[in-house]
Amino acid sequence: MIYKDSEVHFNISSQIKRSITANIQFSTQDIDTAKLTFSLTKDGVPLPISQATHGKLFMRFADGSKFYVNTEVKDALGGVIFYVLTSDQVTHYGTVQAELYVNYDNGQKLSVHKFSFEIDRALVDQDIAPVAEYYVDDFESLKAVIQEMADDAEQVLAELQKKFENLDNIETKDGAQEKADAAEAGAKAYTDEHAAKTDNPHKVTKAQVGLSNVDNVKQASKADFDGHVADTANPHAVTKAQVGLSDVDNVKQASKAEFDTHNSDNTRHITADERTKWDGGQLRKLTDDSGKRTQVADGADLLTLSTGFYFAVGNTVQNNPTTNDSTQFTYDVIESDQGRKTIYAWRTTDNTLWHATVIPDTAFKGWKRVITDDDFRKKTFVDTYDFDNSAFTATEGVVTKIKFGAARADDQSEYDQTKSEITLKNSGLYLVRLYISATAIPSNSDIGFICYVNDAQYQTMGYWYPSKSTQTNVVFLQQKFNSGDKVTFHIFPKVTGSTPSSVSVKSAFLTMSQIR
């Protein structure tokens, strides 16, 4: 459907509110397209209307027509209701005075706000004059409208009586009063009888209830009045026509088919299943009004957050999984009935995930980081198994860097063959295996193997006392290293003066793997 939609925002409070002039203008040619949408808030959040029986809209048009109708729900959780003007209503051009109400199932009622809007008279409708009419959606409202019409008639009669207060003939004034009282009683009895008919439809006009002539009441001249009071043959009789009720007998009742059509209109009336669904809806806000995550206030404690979806910069909140972290995090908090809550924290820059559990009256046990398969793939593993390009000579009494050949495996591209150096990308515990095959080893040699970090001696791996001039040795090291460490390995030959005074290494290879 296509609508000429207009949205009005109302905040419900007890503060003084004056009627507002909404910046809304419809045309008498906006047939079934003139739509009023109301967004209702209270205390800064959408007004809950899932428990509301209905919204009510009262409209008083420029020609005196009055409509008291039910609105429809557009968004029960968002506090949005609407009403589409009927093809009859848009014909009543001019300024429309209106007021919105909300009725709840428990009997509570809210007056939301008074406002006004305009209906412009289209050029094609210039020669059409709408008939003043009334429309109500329930029997009690219908009765109130008819009573209001009767009150209008009483007011006219009271004004006529006041015109003759200065007449000298007190007895004649009393007689006129009795006639007016009788007319008033007759009018009220008749309208009450009509209002009691529960099978009556909703729509009546002034003409239908016999009040179309009230607007044309003329003031009698003194001569007319003197002639009337001198009529002793019929001193008290007042006809329906004299009080403007001559058309009451012509009130038209809607057919059963028309009533059934209205009653089965599920667009304007919700079903029992729909009401049950709305009443059972979740009322707790989990995001902000736009459906996005809510930002955590600076200095807030993550462990005290209620159920919802949040975000913040890590170093602006308390109890973040990391410290001094200026990147953005997102947080999902779920509470249980026992007061416990589960919190998930994501660092958005690298998608690292932590989780924690908060238990009432129990010390916080900290965050646990979730290890992924990607974490395992990013662990260090270097294998320099290359016998043909790793030969070198180590001089007696000199600490010499061990030369390794090309890498057979280097998962993180950490190995530099030209320097025989590994620059670690991860902090953790590592296992190192060093293989040395040497020839022309002096007898009684004392050979040490040393691990260097950042060009400084870090850890002695072991000692070798070869018994033959040609021999192979393997040493191991399990040690923690930090991200960014530059790791190299060295050999330190000590000899007893025998010749030769150096050690010839035929081949060397290294395996370095991150354990955790």
Side-chain angles (χ1 to χ4, degrees), residues 237-390:
V238 179
T239 66
K240 292 178 181 178
Q242 289 173 315
V243 294
L245 295 175
S246 57
D247 292 331
V248 172
D249 295 331
N250 298 321
V251 173
K252 183 181 178 182
Q253 179 176 335
S255 67
K256 186 176 185 303
E258 291 172 328
F259 177 79
D260 289 343
T261 299
H262 173 77
N263 192 48
S264 61
D265 187 351
N266 287 332
T267 300
R268 296 184 179 275
H269 307 130
I270 67 170
T271 65
D273 290 342
E274 289 172 329
R275 186 181 299 281
T276 299
K277 181 179 180 180
W278 292 346
D279 290 348
Q282 181 170 317
L283 300 179
R284 178 90 175 242
K285 287 183 63 176
L286 301 179
T287 65
D288 65 13
D289 292 339
S290 62
K292 299 177 181 178
R293 290 181 177 271
T294 302
Q295 184 170 5
V296 182
D298 288 354
D301 188 347
L302 297 179
L303 307 184
T304 64
L305 295 178
S306 59
T307 296
F309 302 99
Y310 305 90
F311 75 95
V313 174
N315 58 12
T316 64
V317 295
Q318 299 181 46
N319 283 314
N320 196 63
T322 60
T323 57
N324 299 322
D325 196 333
S326 61
T327 58
Q328 190 175 102
F329 282 72
T330 61
Y331 309 98
D332 293 358
V333 181
I334 304 296
E335 297 174 284
S336 66
D337 291 340
Q338 295 79 26
R340 300 189 178 204
K341 63 181 70 174
T342 301
I343 307 177
Y344 294 92
W346 278 268
R347 184 165 56 197
T348 59
T349 53
D350 58 7
N351 203 28
T352 303
L353 171 64
W354 290 264
H355 65 91
T357 301
V358 178
I359 304 174
D361 302 323
T362 303
F364 180 55
K365 298 184 182 300
W367 295 90
K368 301 296 183 183
R369 180 172 175 265
V370 177
I371 303 299
T372 65
D373 58 342
D374 193 49
D375 292 319
F376 284 101
R377 286 195 297 270
K378 289 182 178 179
K379 286 182 178 293
T380 295
F381 179 72
V382 177
D383 180 8
T384 64
Y385 199 84
D386 181 5
F387 289 105
D388 297 330
N389 298 290
S390 58

Side-chain angles (χ1 to χ4, degrees), residues 468-510:
K468 299 186 296 183
S469 60
T470 300
Q471 197 167 345
T472 299
N473 188 43
V474 179
V475 291
F476 294 88
L477 173 66
Q478 181 174 292
Q479 186 65 49
K480 282 188 175 182
F481 296 97
N482 296 319
S483 174
D485 283 349
K486 298 180 182 299
V487 183
T488 55
F489 298 90
H490 298 71
I491 185 171
F492 181 34
K494 296 179 181 179
V495 295
T496 60
S498 301
T499 57
S501 60
S502 62
V503 175
S504 297
V505 177
K506 178 182 179 181
S507 59
F509 73 85
L510 172 76

